[in-house]
């Protein structure tokens, strides 16, 4: 047996080359991937440990918060009740104000209705008064009644200021009578001539709406001495007194 | 004597340089191993598949053996020890291919492996202790032991070479003889035994390499401990 030195040299180089090739293409990549996996596992373990510590911390924090949640809940309930009471009072006040407004509106309506009713009653009363007066007038003779009102008319004309009386005397006097003058006409004309002068011109018309009495109607003024005028004046006075009383 | 395993057959010549059959077969083995390594490690991922698990198991077993035998981290020695193991195993098992004679059945290949282990032992020892420190280990425990220690270095390397060569070559011899005497299926049990022997020899060679390198490192550690002791 002899040694072939060339073969020895070649095989030495071959094995060294194989060492280099396997180190480069086999051992290093496999060892690196194993090391990377170990590092990854270690990192995952670290992450898990960190997550567990965080979970423990959160658990402690949550327990601490749970311990404080009772007083906090009571405080929130008290605040909510106070707020509800405040809100309720506000609603009650608003309802009361609204009720007062409705009540005032109702009272105003009632007063308005009552005034209207009173006006209606007054109207009925005046109509009733007119009816009563008319019945009374029918029982008294027309001439006597005319003469009775003539004195009052003459007195009113005499009470006029001189200027008014002179202007009235200068105009055509229109005498309105509630009933035909009949036999009393000369007396009436004489009385008017006595207070206005002899040259006064008097025309006579009949208006049963006066009920009773006489009225002088001229262009410048009117002198009223009739029951209708008296009743209308009384009705105005009564209405005025009621308004003042309200 | 060209048919005997003791003499390497020359396949061709490059000028005056003979390229023998073990060299050509070794080139083929290198091509297969390097190409296979490139293929299997091309798509490594953090989530291993079946093949990657096998690869990682192989590397993990080699690393564990280095840790246990050498009591050191495997990184500096993984490529050398692992390559020796894989190459010798592949070379021994190459006898399964018809007409192929294992390169390790020729003493030149085993001598090359022994030479590499010898140089690696020296290199790692000198790297650990420095040249003078490593040479000083030969004078331990007394300077009178220096010749014995020097002879030991060479003889243990020589024993590695002879052990591997003798086992593999004898297997080839026996199978060749039986093949020449019996039918073709008769040597199959012996071939199976030869595979087992080849695996065991590959492991023994790698283990011895680890032991030799570790002994150089261990002497370095002992020297460091002695120098640290007041």
């Amino acid at each position: 047996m002899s040694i072939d030195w060339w073969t020895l040299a070649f095989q030495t180089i071959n094995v060294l080359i194989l060492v280099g090739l396997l180190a480069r293409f086999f051992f290093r990549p496999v060892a690196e991937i194993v090391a990377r996996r170990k590092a990854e596992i270690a990192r995952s373990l670290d992450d898990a440990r960190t997550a567990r510590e965080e979970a423990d911390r959160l658990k402690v924090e949550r327990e601490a918060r749970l311990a404080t949640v009772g007083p906090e809940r009571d405080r929130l309930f008290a605040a909510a009740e106070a707020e509800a009471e405040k809100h309720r009072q506000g609603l009650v006040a608003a309802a009361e104000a609204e009720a007062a407004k409705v009540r005032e509106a109702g009272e105003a309506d009632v007063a308005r209705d009552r005034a209207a009713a009173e006006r209606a009653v007054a109207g009925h009363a005046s109509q009733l008064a007119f009816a009563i007066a008319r019945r009374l007038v029918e029982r008294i003779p027309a001439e006597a009644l005319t003469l009775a009102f003539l004195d009052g008319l003459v007195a009113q004309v005499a009470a006029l200021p001189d200027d008014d009386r002179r202007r009235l005397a200068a105009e055509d006097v229109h005498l309105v009578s509630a009933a035909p003058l009949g036999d009393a006409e000369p007396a009436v004309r004489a009385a008017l001539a006595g207070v206005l002068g002899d040259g006064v011109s008097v025309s006579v018309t009949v208006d049963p709406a006066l009920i009773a009495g006489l009225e002088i109607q001229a262009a410048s003024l009117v002198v009223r001495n009739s029951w209708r005028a008296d009743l209308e004046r009384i009705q105005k006075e009564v209405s005025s007194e009621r308004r003042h009383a309200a | 004597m060209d048919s005997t395993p003791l003499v390497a057959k020359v396949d061709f010549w490059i000028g005056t340089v003979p390229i023998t059959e073990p060299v050509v077969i070794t080139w083929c083995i290198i091509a297969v191993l390097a190409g296979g390594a490139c293929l299997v490690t091309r798509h490594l991922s953090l989530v291993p598949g079946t093949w990657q698990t096998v690869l990682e198991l192989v590397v993990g077993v080699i690393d564990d053996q280095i840790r246990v035998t050498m009591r050191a981290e495997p990184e500096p020695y993984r490529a050398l020890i692992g390559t020796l193991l894989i190459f010798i195993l592949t070379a021994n098992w190459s006898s399964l291919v018809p007409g192929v004679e294992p390169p390790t059945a020729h003493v030149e290949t085993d001598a090359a492996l022994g030479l590499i282990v010898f140089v690696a032992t020296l290199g790692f020892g000198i790297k650990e202790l420095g040249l003078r420190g490593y040479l000083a280990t030969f004078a331990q425990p007394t300077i009178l032991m220096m010749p014995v220690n020097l002879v030991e270095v060479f003889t243990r390397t020589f024993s590695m070479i002879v052990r591997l060569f003798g086992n593999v070559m004898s297997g080839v011899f026996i199978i060749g003889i039986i093949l020449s005497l019996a039918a073709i299926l008769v040597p199959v049990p012996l071939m199976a035994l030869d595979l087992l022997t080849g695996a065991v020899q590959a492991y023994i060679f790698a283990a011895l390499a680890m032991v030799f390198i570790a002994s150089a490192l261990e002497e370095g550690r002992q020297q460091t401990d002695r120098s640290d002791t007041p």
Side-chain angles (χ1 to χ4, degrees), chain B residues 1-30:
Chain B
M1 288 295 290
D2 279 355
S3 62
T4 172
L6 296 178
V7 176
K9 190 178 96 182
V10 176
D11 281 352
F12 58 93
W13 295 78
I14 299 176
T16 58
V17 177
I19 305 300
T20 56
E21 186 179 310
V23 174
V24 175
I25 293 172
T26 302
W27 285 345
C28 294
I29 291 172
I30 289 173

Side-chain angles (χ1 to χ4, degrees), chain A residues 22-44:
Chain A
L22 288 187
R24 170 74 179 79
F25 294 110
F26 181 66
F27 291 110
R28 192 182 306 163
V30 174
E32 280 178 358
I33 199 71
V34 171
R36 273 181 57 197
R37 185 184 304 117
K38 285 181 179 174
E40 191 70 21
I41 290 170
R43 195 180 63 76
S44 297

Side-chain angles (χ1 to χ4, degrees), chain A residues 77-146:
Chain A
F77 273 142
E81 284 179 354
E83 184 69 20
E85 177 62 22
K86 186 178 171 185
H87 188 62
R88 189 184 66 79
Q89 288 177 355
L91 287 176
V92 168
E96 286 177 348
E98 185 69 20
K101 199 185 291 179
V102 170
R103 189 172 62 241
E104 285 174 4
E107 287 174 355
D109 288 343
V110 168
R112 195 163 51 245
D113 293 343
R114 188 170 62 190
E118 285 176 353
R119 274 196 304 275
V121 169
H124 286 304
S126 61
Q127 287 175 4
L128 185 60
F130 278 118
I132 294 169
R134 204 178 299 279
R135 292 281 182 89
L136 287 175
V137 167
E138 287 172 355
R139 291 173 182 269
I140 300 171
E143 290 82 3
L145 202 56
T146 301

